[in-house]
Amino acid sequence: MTNRPNVLWIMADQLRFDYLSCYGHPHLHTPNIDALAARGVRFTNTYVQSPVCGPSRMSAYTGRYVRSHGSTWNGMPMRVGEPTLGDHLRDAGARAVLVGKTHMVADKVGMDWLGIDPASEIGVRVAQCGFEPFDRDDGLHPNSSRQQWSAYDDYLVSLGYTSDNPWEDFANSGYDKDGKLVSGWLLENSQLEANIPEEHSETAYMTNRAMEFMEGAIDGDAPWLCHLSYIKPHWPYIVPAPYHDMYGPEHVIDPIRSESEKETDHPLLRAYQNMRVSRSFARDHVREHVIPAYMGLIKQLDDNLGRLFKWMDDKGLSDNTIIAFTSDHGDYMGDHWLGDKDFYHESAAKVPLIIADPRPEADATRGTDNAALIEMIDLAPTFMTALGCAPKPEVVEGRDLTPLLHAGDGFYRRYAISEHDYSSFEMARVLNVAQQDAFTKMIFDGRWKYIHCEGFEPILFDLETDPEEVNDHGQSDEPEHVAVRVRMKDALLAWSLRHHTRVTATRQVLDSQTKATETGILIGFWDEDEYEATAGKPFSSLVAAGPPQG
Amino acid sequence: MTNRPNVLWIMADQLRFDYLSCYGHPHLHTPNIDALAARGVRFTNTYVQSPVCGPSRMSAYTGRYVRSHGSTWNGMPMRVGEPTLGDHLRDAGARAVLVGKTHMVADKVGMDWLGIDPASEIGVRVAQCGFEPFDRDDGLHPNSSRQQWSAYDDYLVSLGYTSDNPWEDFANSGYDKDGKLVSGWLLENSQLEANIPEEHSETAYMTNRAMEFMEGAIDGDAPWLCHLSYIKPHWPYIVPAPYHDMYGPEHVIDPIRSESEKETDHPLLRAYQNMRVSRSFARDHVREHVIPAYMGLIKQLDDNLGRLFKWMDDKGLSDNTIIAFTSDHGDYMGDHWLGDKDFYHESAAKVPLIIADPRPEADATRGTDNAALIEMIDLAPTFMTALGCAPKPEVVEGRDLTPLLHAGDGFYRRYAISEHDYSSFEMARVLNVAQQDAFTKMIFDGRWKYIHCEGFEPILFDLETDPEEVNDHGQSDEPEHVAVRVRMKDALLAWSLRHHTRVTATRQVLDSQTKATETGILIGFWDEDEYEATAGKPFSSLVAAGPPQG
């Protein structure tokens, strides 16, 4: 063990901020996550940098906005050379280890240009978004573009769950009332018991794998960050017993929606409402059928975290491990007549974030809430600080949360940003939007949520007077709304013009430029006297090194 | 030889667009460059993407805006993995060869992360901005941060010009009237004869080296692009005989400036005027002393190009070689009371561009002018097309000029962009501007030039009514100016929000995403019927590959 803490960074997938009892859910009791909040800080205004898995995660793993790392959609390879949290931590002598999902796809073209062998240690790391993969599993069909046969598939086969696709046939399918094995991808099957005992499910498996990593690292020399990245409660919505029938329609909270939303004349909002998944979740019977399974998956996750935290206590790891718990985005679940994610209402863009820091400096904040405007990219610099890595403001765009954990000053954010690329959506074709123009950007100041929709009018919500976000003021003539739109657009321009790619501009590089007169580049001097008066040294001091020796 | 043409891409450094006779200079006759224009197209509205060497060149060599590649200032390493013109050409089986200056600095940190040996073939190429370096020479003091002892230094020593810094002591110094060797960096020495015969000067040497490369490549299998990149007429302003006294004050054209410009209340413009180099060139005696040397350097360049073009004719290379001639930025030379470059008036941001395409398709445009709004980043895609490389719109932001060369349709640009990072300037400290805010951006529509100055009011010139750009309408209350500023700011936002880093998003990648139902990711289907109605195939067709074999 080192004197630096370790970090366990737990990420759920597609977990809404409000489906935990500590975030106010009336029926879904999550005592283990609540207990984590009780020994840490519960952040109540955390926004992801994209309301969809891939780009949100690439932002989380780089500490950079989507517009900066450029991986704007699922399965879009992240360019080789994009600096990751893992790169920074390794520079500081710490490990960054992956257990679970990243959604990363390797940039094979870029790796080939740079002569990087995908099978080499560096090649594997580049393909895993900078992590050292202890166990990578994206929770996908084993011949999808992103996932091959996984270690979890091997695990299932080793237990006798033999199939060409054990992930799907066992962990994500169930038997219907006619005794036929049916897919958990289909919503009608959500209430079936998954065809696997809980202890062999993905959630349990990944929990075990995290323990195995930590057990092996106990005697290691390097501090570590372990990214325990669960696939659930993401699709397919199907859960093993006893969680499959733990909740019923009586536990399903009402959707956040208004009939007036269906009358919007905003083409993009209408197209979102017309998506298949939205039409599904707009139906009450779908919500009542699926949400209980979604709740079961969360309850199962909470139970596994309880098992994990207990094990960490027993191993003496809790005293020296910062634990962060969050999600990569939410899930509409029928709110606003929408399904899945991909837009910016609170149900989709806001996530839970709890950070429990065992160090004494954090004693003052234990069990408190914090309403500061947080971006998911803030975690990377926070973990860098904890693990002894110097700040890299030229690369990392998030802001260190340590002051908030330690009741100190120094954290400030005026606007949170989130971005979305819908170029691969059917609606881009329906709306006749060119591939390069199919994007939206959210900028939120804690009250006003302004959504730039390229090629369309903006959308504006006022969360103070309309916390349910059912009234769009994007085209309102109210002077206040007009003024807010001007201000938010200006703020979006200011953010957008900022340096996002000047990643090699360390303070040292910039300093070396301001001292150009010392390296013999003399611009604008009339004579030696002018040089000497400016540089404060004799002109003759400008000597050359001569030819290389030997 | 192949059936694809070769490309000779000649770049001068710091050559103003109007210091060539074909661009209207009344006293500086450049018959060889004029002859190139007579057999090609002379573009009259070409703008660089940054009015300073390094970032302008990184844009030229990548076909991407400065905000995209991120190397915003001289000497700032260009990040490893940034795709270059050379990478694209090599993919198409063509060579990209460097003879002369690139201003590139390698990203050692990034290379180390990716395990790239700087001495390997790929490492050398990465450090040379994607070029295969036949002869790299940035024209700098041999112990500057960017330049070590060069092949040109070796060449000078081999001829007996022995010194610890032969580049400076011979090629860029002269003997004053007291017989003392003095530096060409100092403006008072500009009229001295450089301490080297013309045939051993940098301009002559690089011309010879280009011939050596082309001679050696004549029997090669691969088509090539040769980037012949001259250091001159960039600083130091000193030129060998007979060019050192070919021009006198009577040949110096009047500066473009107005007394009213000195009364500007714009803090940034005032700070520019207060820079040492501006104060120097604001003095008429400095202009009259230095400009004749600057003109001599250009005349010498033209003579060497005459020698080169004649040699190419003799070798039969001209018939199969597209020749492009341009510059990386201009030089204020006292215009607007400014010196050097670094801002956006025509003297600094506009450059000459001539492209002579020997192919029959270009016959219709020979000897014509073209006033289209061109960006320097347009050359990369133009050369890619010529050398048989498929377009890469996801990476290359410039636009193919081939339609303009071949009198066809398909080229269009509404706005030209240029960017500048002044964070390493003394004036950033004088104005108390933080490092990350010390930037400006130009957007120009062919008439209105709008300059966003972060933290300050914008600057606006109307080149139709004020072609000399001496009246700033950035704070004017005239309704027309107010409306133009709104429009230009909106256009800047639109440009800024565009995808600049989505470099891995090929059409193939995006297509693979729209077919997600084929890879077993099924979002929002209630049952098999709904899937089959949408996907047009049986649900049972979704089969998995099974575990890896062998």
Side-chain angles (χ1 to χ4, degrees):
Chain A
M1 296 256 234
T2 67
N3 57 2
R4 288 182 275 176
N6 300 309
V7 174
L8 176 63
W9 178 12
I10 304 165
M11 190 178 281
D13 196 301
Q14 196 137 339
L15 173 61
R16 282 174 65 122
F17 77 98
D18 53 354
Y19 270 55
L20 298 170
S21 40
C22 60
Y23 280 88
H25 199 287
H27 307 301
L28 178 52
H29 296 292
T30 49
N32 298 296
I33 295 169
D34 295 2
L36 188 72
R39 55 188 169 111
V41 177
R42 189 181 71 102
F43 291 95
T44 56
N45 280 302
T46 304
Y47 292 84
V48 289
Q49 275 47 80
S50 185
V52 65
C53 303
S56 173
R57 287 165 178 272
M58 297 307 105
S59 283
Y61 304 151
T62 58
R64 291 164 53 70
Y65 292 106
V66 175
R67 75 118 59 251
S68 307
H69 60 66
S71 181
T72 62
W73 181 242
N74 289 341
M76 186 177 294
M78 196 169 73
R79 64 190 299 182
V80 67
E82 183 66 17
T84 65
L85 173 60
D87 294 322
H88 307 312
L89 294 183
R90 264 185 300 280
D91 276 355
R95 297 173 67 189
V97 174
L98 171 66
V99 179
K101 169 170 176 170
T102 61
H103 221 106
M104 171 74 184
V105 170
D107 172 14
K108 287 182 188 151
V109 173
M111 288 171 75
D112 185 52
W113 278 343
L114 296 175
I116 299 170
D117 177 358
S120 67
E121 183 185 328
I122 287 173
V124 168
R125 189 194 296 154
V126 167
Q128 304 295 4
C129 203
F131 287 109
E132 173 189 335
F134 185 80
D135 196 326
R136 160 75 184 272
D137 184 1
D138 267 12
L140 284 175
H141 195 279
N143 56 353
S144 77
S145 61
R146 206 161 66 236
Q147 169 105 37
Q148 282 90 47
W149 190 262
S150 68
Y152 179 60
D153 287 311
D154 273 336
Y155 168 80
L156 290 180
V157 169
S158 76
L159 293 170
Y161 303 107
T162 309
S163 152
D164 276 351
N165 186 354
W167 172 83
E168 180 151 333
D169 293 341
F170 294 97
N172 289 285
S173 291
Y175 283 96
D176 69 9
K177 62 184 189 318
D178 304 322
K180 184 185 163 205
L181 186 68
V182 292
S183 172
W185 282 111
L186 300 176
L187 298 172
E188 69 166 347
N189 302 324
S190 300
Q191 297 195 342
L192 301 178
E193 171 184 343
N195 183 29
I196 194 123
E198 194 281 326
E199 63 268 28
H200 299 153
S201 69
E202 280 178 293
T203 296
Y205 170 81
M206 283 303 162
T207 306
N208 296 342
R209 293 293 280 157
M211 293 181 197
E212 286 165 33
F213 161 71
M214 287 190 269
E215 179 90 51
I218 281 176
D219 295 323
D221 292 329
W224 47 259
L225 174 145
C226 174
H227 182 46
L228 170 55
S229 185
Y230 289 105
I231 289 120
K232 300 297 181 183
H234 185 276
W235 302 78
Y237 301 120
I238 188 166
V239 61
Y243 301 97
H244 72 295
D245 64 358
M246 206 173 267
Y247 304 98
E250 70 277 20
H251 302 115
V252 174
I253 53 176
D254 288 340
I256 300 165
R257 68 188 187 198
S258 152
E259 286 295 323
S260 67
E261 291 179 281
K262 289 202 279 192
E263 268 119 62
T264 179
D265 61 357
H266 199 291
L268 202 56
L269 277 181
R270 286 164 60 140
Y272 269 104
Q273 290 174 9
N274 278 328
M275 287 175 70
R276 179 184 59 246
V277 70
S278 296
R279 284 183 278 113
S280 284
F281 280 92
R283 288 177 260 169
D284 287 340
H285 83 87
V286 171
R287 296 184 76 250
E288 288 167 12
H289 200 83
V290 177
I291 290 178
Y294 181 71
M295 291 170 68
L297 287 165
I298 297 164
K299 181 69 179 171
Q300 184 198 0
L301 176 62
D302 186 72
D303 282 346
N304 272 276
L305 290 178
R307 185 164 67 89
L308 178 69
F309 297 155
K310 170 72 165 57
W311 178 87
M312 290 176 69
D313 289 345
D314 292 346
K315 291 285 175 180
L317 282 161
S318 302
D319 295 343
N320 195 37
T321 304
I322 295 170
I323 302 178
F325 175 81
T326 189
S327 174
D328 61 347
H329 54 77
D331 191 323
Y332 273 109
M333 286 290 167
D335 288 358
H336 312 288
W337 314 98
L338 301 175
D340 212 25
K341 51 257 183 184
D342 299 304
F343 208 61
Y344 305 105
H345 295 90
E346 298 285 273
S347 326
K350 186 170 181 169
V351 289
L353 174 64
I354 296 163
I355 305 180
D357 180 345
R359 293 174 291 183
E361 297 92 321
D363 286 348
T365 64
R366 287 188 208 296
T368 63
D369 291 349
N370 192 306
L373 203 49
I374 305 296
E375 294 181 333
M376 180 61 67
I377 57 176
D378 297 341
L379 292 183
T382 306
F383 299 152
M384 287 167 66
T385 298
L387 286 161
C389 181
K392 299 194 181 181
E394 73 278 12
V395 178
V396 176
E397 299 181 294
R399 303 176 194 192
D400 184 359
L401 299 175
T402 310
L404 300 183
L405 300 174
H406 294 178
D409 295 329
F411 180 89
Y412 177 74
R413 169 170 290 110
R414 192 154 174 209
Y415 300 100
I417 302 281
S418 195
E419 306 175 73
H420 193 263
D421 173 352
Y422 66 89
S423 60
S424 62
F425 281 40
E426 179 62 22
M427 72 181 182
R429 276 160 287 285
V430 170
L431 296 170
N432 199 25
V433 176
Q435 209 181 65
Q436 66 274 17
D437 296 330
F439 64 82
T440 57
K441 313 262 177 190
M442 175 199 88
I443 179 164
F444 178 53
D445 69 359
R447 173 178 175 181
W448 298 98
K449 192 180 279 186
Y450 176 93
I451 301 165
H452 172 96
C453 304
E454 183 69 15
F456 300 102
E457 295 292 331
I459 292 168
L460 181 67
F461 297 121
D462 176 4
L463 274 76
E464 187 172 292
T465 62
D466 173 33
E468 296 205 330
E469 305 174 286
V470 294
N471 300 308
D472 169 19
H473 308 298
Q475 298 169 69
S476 142
D477 294 328
E478 287 276 335
E480 182 184 22
H481 297 149
V482 173
V484 167
R485 289 200 304 266
V486 168
R487 172 170 70 79
M488 297 304 273
K489 193 160 118 175
D490 277 352
L492 186 64
L493 178 65
W495 170 78
S496 188
L497 289 177
R498 258 160 53 188
H499 297 294
H500 292 273
T501 57
R502 200 176 65 164
V503 296
T504 65
T506 61
R507 193 164 295 278
Q508 290 73 16
V509 167
L510 290 173
D511 278 354
S512 77
Q513 288 302 318
T514 60
K515 292 174 187 155
T517 51
E518 292 183 17
T519 54
I521 303 172
L522 311 178
I523 302 290
F525 294 103
W526 175 255
D527 59 13
E528 294 192 10
D529 290 348
E530 199 170 277
Y531 174 81
E532 292 177 0
T534 304
K537 59 181 185 177
F539 190 77
S540 60
S541 66
L542 290 166
V543 292
Q549 301 298 316
Chain B
M1 295 255 234
T2 68
N3 57 2
R4 287 183 275 176
N6 299 307
V7 173
L8 176 64
W9 178 12
I10 304 165
M11 190 179 281
D13 197 302
Q14 196 137 338
L15 172 63
R16 280 174 65 122
F17 76 99
D18 54 353
Y19 270 53
L20 298 169
S21 40
C22 60
Y23 280 88
H25 199 287
H27 307 300
L28 177 53
H29 297 292
T30 49
N32 298 296
I33 295 169
D34 296 3
L36 188 73
R39 54 188 170 111
V41 177
R42 189 181 71 102
F43 292 93
T44 56
N45 280 302
T46 304
Y47 292 83
V48 290
Q49 274 47 79
S50 185
V52 64
C53 303
S56 173
R57 287 165 177 273
M58 297 307 105
S59 283
Y61 305 150
T62 57
R64 290 165 52 72
Y65 293 105
V66 175
R67 75 116 62 250
S68 308
H69 60 67
S71 181
T72 63
W73 181 244
N74 290 339
M76 186 177 294
M78 195 169 75
R79 64 190 299 182
V80 67
E82 183 67 16
T84 66
L85 173 59
D87 293 321
H88 307 312
L89 295 183
R90 264 185 300 280
D91 276 355
R95 297 174 67 188
V97 174
L98 171 66
V99 180
K101 171 169 175 170
T102 61
H103 220 108
M104 171 76 183
V105 170
D107 172 13
K108 287 181 188 151
V109 173
M111 288 170 76
D112 186 52
W113 278 343
L114 296 176
I116 299 171
D117 178 359
S120 67
E121 183 185 328
I122 288 173
V124 169
R125 189 194 297 155
V126 168
Q128 304 295 1
C129 202
F131 288 110
E132 174 188 334
F134 185 80
D135 196 326
R136 161 75 184 268
D137 184 359
D138 266 11
L140 285 174
H141 197 278
N143 56 353
S144 76
S145 61
R146 209 162 63 236
Q147 169 104 39
Q148 282 92 47
W149 189 264
S150 67
Y152 179 60
D153 287 312
D154 274 336
Y155 167 80
L156 291 178
V157 170
S158 76
L159 293 170
Y161 304 106
T162 309
S163 150
D164 276 351
N165 187 353
W167 172 83
E168 179 152 332
D169 293 342
F170 295 97
N172 288 286
S173 290
Y175 283 97
D176 70 8
K177 62 183 187 321
D178 302 323
K180 185 184 162 206
L181 186 69
V182 292
S183 171
W185 282 112
L186 300 175
L187 298 172
E188 69 166 348
N189 302 325
S190 300
Q191 297 195 339
L192 300 178
E193 171 184 342
N195 182 28
I196 195 126
E198 193 282 327
E199 63 268 29
H200 298 153
S201 69
E202 281 178 292
T203 297
Y205 169 81
M206 283 302 162
T207 306
N208 297 341
R209 294 292 282 154
M211 294 180 197
E212 287 165 31
F213 161 70
M214 287 190 269
E215 179 88 52
I218 281 177
D219 295 323
D221 291 328
W224 47 258
L225 174 146
C226 175
H227 182 45
L228 171 55
S229 185
Y230 289 103
I231 289 121
K232 298 297 181 182
H234 185 277
W235 302 77
Y237 301 120
I238 189 166
V239 61
Y243 301 97
H244 73 295
D245 64 359
M246 205 172 268
Y247 303 98
E250 69 278 21
H251 302 115
V252 173
I253 53 176
D254 287 341
I256 301 166
R257 68 190 187 197
S258 153
E259 286 295 323
S260 68
E261 291 179 283
K262 290 202 279 194
E263 268 120 60
T264 178
D265 61 357
H266 198 291
L268 202 58
L269 278 181
R270 286 165 61 141
Y272 268 104
Q273 290 173 9
N274 279 329
M275 287 174 70
R276 181 185 58 248
V277 70
S278 296
R279 285 183 276 111
S280 284
F281 280 93
R283 288 176 260 169
D284 287 340
H285 84 88
V286 171
R287 295 186 75 250
E288 288 167 11
H289 201 81
V290 176
I291 289 178
Y294 181 72
M295 292 169 68
L297 288 165
I298 297 164
K299 181 69 180 170
Q300 184 199 359
L301 176 62
D302 185 73
D303 283 346
N304 272 275
L305 290 178
R307 185 164 68 88
L308 178 68
F309 296 155
K310 171 71 167 56
W311 178 89
M312 289 176 71
D313 289 345
D314 293 345
K315 290 284 176 181
L317 283 162
S318 302
D319 295 342
N320 195 37
T321 304
I322 296 170
I323 302 178
F325 175 81
T326 190
S327 174
D328 63 346
H329 54 76
D331 191 324
Y332 273 108
M333 285 289 164
D335 289 358
H336 311 289
W337 314 97
L338 301 176
D340 212 24
K341 52 257 183 183
D342 297 306
F343 208 60
Y344 304 107
H345 296 90
E346 299 284 275
S347 326
K350 186 169 180 169
V351 289
L353 174 64
I354 296 164
I355 304 180
D357 181 344
R359 293 174 291 182
E361 297 92 321
D363 286 347
T365 64
R366 286 190 208 297
T368 63
D369 290 350
N370 192 307
L373 203 49
I374 306 295
E375 294 182 334
M376 179 62 65
I377 57 175
D378 298 340
L379 291 183
T382 307
F383 300 152
M384 286 166 67
T385 297
L387 286 161
C389 181
K392 298 193 182 180
E394 74 277 14
V395 178
V396 176
E397 299 182 295
R399 302 176 195 192
D400 184 359
L401 300 175
T402 310
L404 301 183
L405 300 175
H406 294 178
D409 295 328
F411 180 89
Y412 177 72
R413 169 171 290 111
R414 193 155 174 208
Y415 300 101
I417 302 281
S418 195
E419 306 175 72
H420 193 262
D421 173 354
Y422 66 90
S423 60
S424 62
F425 281 39
E426 180 62 22
M427 71 182 184
R429 277 160 288 283
V430 170
L431 295 170
N432 199 25
V433 176
Q435 208 181 67
Q436 67 272 20
D437 296 330
F439 65 82
T440 57
K441 313 261 178 190
M442 175 199 88
I443 180 163
F444 178 53
D445 68 0
R447 173 178 176 182
W448 298 97
K449 192 179 279 186
Y450 176 92
I451 301 165
H452 172 96
C453 304
E454 183 68 15
F456 300 103
E457 295 293 331
I459 291 168
L460 181 68
F461 296 121
D462 176 4
L463 274 76
E464 186 171 292
T465 62
D466 173 31
E468 296 206 328
E469 306 173 287
V470 294
N471 301 308
D472 169 19
H473 306 298
Q475 297 169 69
S476 142
D477 294 329
E478 288 277 333
E480 182 184 22
H481 297 150
V482 172
V484 167
R485 290 200 303 266
V486 168
R487 174 171 68 81
M488 298 303 275
K489 194 161 118 174
D490 277 352
L492 186 64
L493 177 64
W495 169 80
S496 187
L497 289 178
R498 258 160 52 188
H499 296 294
H500 292 274
T501 57
R502 200 176 63 165
V503 296
T504 65
T506 61
R507 193 164 293 277
Q508 289 73 15
V509 168
L510 291 172
D511 278 353
S512 77
Q513 288 303 319
T514 58
K515 294 173 186 156
T517 52
E518 292 183 16
T519 54
I521 304 172
L522 311 179
I523 302 290
F525 295 102
W526 174 255
D527 58 14
E528 294 192 10
D529 289 347
E530 199 171 276
Y531 174 81
E532 293 177 0
T534 304
K537 58 181 186 175
F539 190 77
S540 60
S541 67
L542 290 166
V543 292
Q549 300 300 314

